[in-house]
Every structure is written in structure tokens, then in C-alpha cells.
Amino acid sequence: MAARTPGTSRAVRAPGTSRAVLVADTALALLTERGMRGLTHRAVDELAGLPQGSTSNQARTRLALLEAAVARHAEREAAVLTPAEMPVPGAGLDDLAAALARALHRYLTRHRELLVSRYELALEATRRPELRAFYDAAGRQFREPLVALMTAAGSRTPERHALSLVSFSEGLMFSCAAGSYHAEVPSEPELRRAFSELLHGMLAGPEPR
């Protein structure tokens, strides 16, 4: 991963980082700092400290650069909460609530740049059908396990419950990363209670007609 050095305008390449990863990480940093208009091949070269033309050799077109950013974003999001930290299928609702709270709290306190860059990529995907397909494919790696967890938790409509859980999480993330609650991030115990209330409300009672 490329790290930023305080007081400079250049990313620092971590040992062992491939050029492809450096380019993708730098693209995400640019999206966070400057928005979609600030993401250019030249800007990536400059921020990453690469020779001019290096990013174009790695990702020929703007679409290729955006796809690389989406793929790298998915990799970094997957690392926020490791598979070993996720509850096994069939675990109790409180265990699932604790894992979701842990992941969300880490996003909001350690990885806000991932949220901002995700919003930039999501909005661009609404304008580019070719990026939309790529973005959706990357997102399925998170959606499908969540549906499986809802199924294991006893949901009779796991797709619907997964959507409700995603919508609840996305709303919290936007409000606390870019919305009116950006300066009032809930604590992990508060998030755990919120997820527990949602999960028990969806799964503990009778299925609505």
C-alpha cells in the first residue's frame, strides 16, 4: 500500500508494493482528496512519484484506471475485518452484531478515506454502465456472504434482510463519514447495540405479511 508522508504531496511506496497496487492506491487517495475530477493519469504519476507515463502503461484508459481503483478498493475493504473475525454461520445474533459493529467502527475511525473514495466510485458507476458492471461484480463478494449469514441466522427472506442490513450500515457510514454526524461517530458498544436491535427485530419476531 502507498502511504502518505505528512507535509508532502507525494505518496511513499511501501516495501514490496507492486506498481499496480501503488497506482491503484494512489488513485484512491486522489479520489478522496480531490474527487473524480482530480483523478488523472498524470496526477497519479505525480503523487506516486512515478516517471511520467507509468500510470498509462499500467492502465491505458480512464476506465481501466477506475476498474483498478474499484478492485483495489474491494481488497482493502475486505481487510478491514478478516474472515477469522467474522462469526461462523449459525452463530448467535449478538455475535453477528458484534462483528458488524467492529467492522463499521474500524471504517469510521481508521478508514474514512475508503468510504469517501467508495462514494466517488459509486457515483461514477451510475454514469458509466461499463464501470457499473465491474463495480457490482466487486460488491458481490460482500453481499453474498451476508445473505449466507442471514440464511444461517434463520431468515426466511435472507435477500431482503441482507438489503435491510446493508441499507442500515450504509446510512450510518454516510451520516458519520460525510453527513451531519461526521463529528459524532458512535462508539463500538453503541454500534453493537444498534445492530443487535436491528437483527433481533428482523429475525426474532414473526415474519411480516
Side-chain angles (χ1 to χ4, degrees), residues 110-165:
R110 306 183 199 174
H111 304 284
R112 284 197 181 203
E113 76 283 356
L114 285 180
L115 294 176
V116 176
S117 57
R118 181 209 284 183
Y119 299 143
E120 291 285 349
L121 290 167
L123 287 172
E124 187 67 8
T126 66
R127 308 179 187 104
R128 285 176 171 259
E130 64 275 29
L131 183 63
R132 176 86 268 168
F134 192 84
Y135 185 93
D136 289 347
R140 277 195 289 273
Q141 68 173 301
F142 303 102
R143 174 180 171 179
E144 291 171 358
L146 190 56
V147 171
L149 283 171
M150 290 295 95
T151 301
S155 171
R156 285 172 281 178
T157 53
E159 288 278 358
R160 181 170 63 80
H161 283 150
L163 174 59
S164 295
L165 197 54

Side-chain angles (χ1 to χ4, degrees), residues 4-189:
R4 298 297 307 283
T5 298
T8 72
S9 59
R10 182 170 291 184
V12 176
R13 186 173 184 174
T17 301
S18 69
R19 178 165 292 189
V21 169
L22 176 63
V23 164
D25 278 338
T26 305
L28 292 174
L30 282 166
L31 287 172
T32 300
E33 294 179 6
R34 307 179 193 176
M36 193 59 64
R37 290 185 179 181
L39 177 61
T40 65
H41 287 74
R42 180 184 292 274
V44 173
D45 286 341
E46 292 175 352
L47 187 61
L50 293 172
Q52 187 174 341
S54 297
T55 299
S56 293
N57 288 334
Q58 191 68 47
R60 285 289 181 185
T61 65
R62 181 170 179 80
L63 176 61
L65 182 58
L66 289 169
E67 289 179 346
V70 169
R72 179 60 178 156
H73 192 279
E75 290 177 359
R76 289 176 60 180
E77 278 203 326
V80 171
L81 192 71
T82 65
E85 294 178 286
M86 286 299 294
V88 297
L93 297 184
D94 290 337
D95 289 334
L96 179 55
L100 292 169
R102 189 178 307 120
L104 186 54
H105 192 259
R106 285 179 185 174
Y107 273 123
L108 295 172
T109 58
R110 306 183 199 174
H111 304 284
R112 284 197 181 203
E113 76 283 356
L114 285 180
L115 294 176
V116 176
S117 57
R118 181 209 284 183
Y119 299 143
E120 291 285 349
L121 290 167
L123 287 172
E124 187 67 8
T126 66
R127 308 179 187 104
R128 285 176 171 259
E130 64 275 29
L131 183 63
R132 176 86 268 168
F134 192 84
Y135 185 93
D136 289 347
R140 277 195 289 273
Q141 68 173 301
F142 303 102
R143 174 180 171 179
E144 291 171 358
L146 190 56
V147 171
L149 283 171
M150 290 295 95
T151 301
S155 171
R156 285 172 281 178
T157 53
E159 288 278 358
R160 181 170 63 80
H161 283 150
L163 174 59
S164 295
L165 197 54
V166 168
S167 300
F168 179 76
S169 301
E170 291 284 1
L172 275 172
M173 286 189 287
F174 183 85
S175 294
C176 295
S180 58
Y181 282 84
H182 68 94
E184 304 173 56
V185 175
S187 67
E188 188 174 329

